[in-house]
Amino acid sequence: ATTAPRIPPTRLALHHFDVSYSLQLKDLWPSVRAGLLCEQKYGALLNNFSPVDHVMQELELLNATDFVSEAPKKMQRSQRGAEEAGRGESGSQEGSGEGRTVIQAEVSPPLRASLSSNIKCYTFPRGDITRFRPARPDALGLLDYYLMDAASLLPVLALNVQPDEFVLDLCAAPGGKTLALLQTGVCGHLTANDVSISRTKRLYQILRSYVPKEIRETVSVTSCDGRDWGQLEGGTFHKVLVDVPCTTDRHSVTEEDNNIFHKRRTKERQLLPMLQLQLLMAGILATKPGGEVVYSTCSLSPLQNECVIE
């Protein structure tokens, strides 16, 4: 046992994904695999509590764009191109362009929500691996943007918070999604919960670094077991975000530290779908009748996604 070679958890994770995801994704898996193993690209979530006009100009000069506002435009252009191609194939003639009807694209719920969102997140184009500079403080000491995986904003956009709604972020730490929810500027009250006290400290740190004191006072930060939330405050929130602990696929194939594929964490990993189910049930119970729940992971696993929902 002492001389046998130890297999690092990143290699165990990649082997596990090669077996399961290749069956699930088939021909797509090689490109998804390459994406997981590439260096992570970040987005810069602008801090609306800090003057951002000069930051936007700076980022646009670097060829970064706000993906939140660009995505619906791209979808509309794509839809328009498809419509025009269809008209061309049917042999119809376009005149001078007068009276042309523009077909508006059917936008998916997360992007439809973003049309009225105050959230701005800048990313570099595909293939551009430029790194953002570290965030800088303004005159009041608030940092100008928060670097995060831009895909992490999709659950927040899908939640589509409306003015004065009570919102619960059930598994909030380290705090990127909580910060994004505050950037909407419409939360009536926001509760950010995480079972880990050490991770909750990180959440407090982010709030102090990005959010003015008077706004922070509208946020309740708690460290409860999220599975019990339905019993603690049942039926009180208009919107609940349940962004559950998961295998965190990119982290699992790139980072040895705190890797859930470490052999000591096998049982914990096997029990993840049950934990996720319990958290989702608690989130549903915490929601008012007619309210909405968004369930999200950063895993490709059907066991942690579709199966939990089913």
Side-chain angles (χ1 to χ4, degrees):
T2 56
T3 57
R6 294 169 183 259
I7 301 174
T10 50
R11 190 143 42 111
L12 284 175
L14 190 57
H15 174 70
H16 175 82
F17 296 159
D18 278 335
V19 171
S20 58
Y21 292 164
S22 61
L23 295 174
Q24 174 192 342
L25 298 172
K26 299 183 172 60
D27 293 344
L28 288 174
W29 172 235
S31 63
V32 174
R33 187 184 197 269
L36 282 176
L37 292 169
C38 283
E39 180 180 351
Q40 186 167 1
K41 283 183 65 172
Y42 287 95
L45 172 66
L46 293 198
N47 185 9
N48 292 327
F49 302 116
S50 177
V52 294
D53 287 347
H54 71 285
V55 183
M56 292 166 59
Q57 292 170 3
E58 175 190 341
L59 294 175
E60 286 165 7
L61 285 172
L62 294 172
N63 201 31
T65 56
D66 172 24
F67 92 88
V68 180
S69 61
E70 282 297 312
K73 296 176 189 175
K74 287 182 180 177
M75 293 187 72
Q76 288 174 352
R77 285 197 295 268
S78 174
Q79 179 76 12
R80 206 172 297 140
E83 292 290 333
E84 289 173 357
R87 284 196 293 271
E89 287 169 9
S90 64
S92 62
Q93 297 291 319
E94 287 285 344
S96 62
E98 292 178 12
R100 178 183 294 178
T101 301
V102 176
I103 307 296
Q104 190 147 15
E106 181 63 31
V107 182
S108 64
L111 300 178
R112 192 183 305 123
S114 77
L115 294 175
S116 59
S117 172
N118 293 318
I119 293 175
K120 296 180 180 63
C121 184
Y122 278 77
T123 57
F124 290 108
R126 184 174 184 175
D128 184 341
I129 56 171
T130 305
R131 293 191 181 193
F132 291 99
R133 61 161 173 79
R136 295 174 185 153
D138 63 12
L140 298 175
L142 299 177
L143 297 178
D144 52 7
Y145 55 62
Y146 178 77
L147 296 180
M148 65 189 301
D149 187 326
S152 295
L153 283 180
L154 295 179
V156 176
L157 295 173
L159 204 58
N160 194 18
V161 179
Q162 299 300 304
D164 300 323
E165 286 187 329
F166 279 45
V167 182
L168 169 62
D169 188 354
L170 192 62
C171 309
K177 294 181 182 68
T178 301
L179 180 61
L181 285 165
L182 289 172
Q183 297 303 314
T184 65
V186 296
C187 293
H189 184 80
L190 175 61
T191 298
N193 177 74
D194 200 276
V195 67
S196 167
I197 293 175
S198 61
R199 284 165 58 86
T200 305
K201 288 179 181 175
R202 168 71 176 146
L203 174 57
Y204 273 116
Q205 180 185 343
I206 286 176
L207 291 175
R208 283 193 297 269
S209 299
Y210 290 89
V211 183
K213 184 178 179 182
E214 62 271 19
I215 305 296
R216 291 202 305 269
E217 290 172 352
T218 68
V219 181
S220 299
V221 178
T222 57
S223 294
C224 304
D225 187 331
R227 292 173 290 185
D228 300 328
W229 199 272
Q231 300 165 4
L232 296 171
E233 285 190 55
T236 54
F237 295 94
H238 299 95
K239 300 287 173 65
V240 177
L241 176 58
V242 186
D243 184 62
V244 292
C246 64
T247 48
T248 334
D249 291 355
R250 182 192 292 278
H251 181 275
S252 292
V253 297
T254 57
E255 301 285 341
E256 301 294 346
D257 291 342
N258 199 31
N259 193 311
I260 199 163
F261 280 84
H262 194 286
K263 289 186 176 179
R264 287 197 302 266
R265 301 183 70 185
T266 301
K267 191 70 174 175
E268 178 188 352
R269 189 176 75 250
Q270 291 171 342
L271 290 174
L272 270 176
M274 180 56 68
L275 170 64
Q276 293 160 343
L277 176 60
Q278 291 168 334
L279 287 167
L280 176 54
M281 289 298 297
I284 292 169
L285 291 172
T287 310
K288 288 175 177 286
E292 295 180 45
V293 178
V294 169
Y295 172 86
S296 61
T297 76
C298 41
S299 169
L300 296 166
S301 165
L303 282 175
Q304 300 174 63
N305 292 300
E306 293 89 341
C307 292
V308 170
I309 298 297
E310 287 169 11

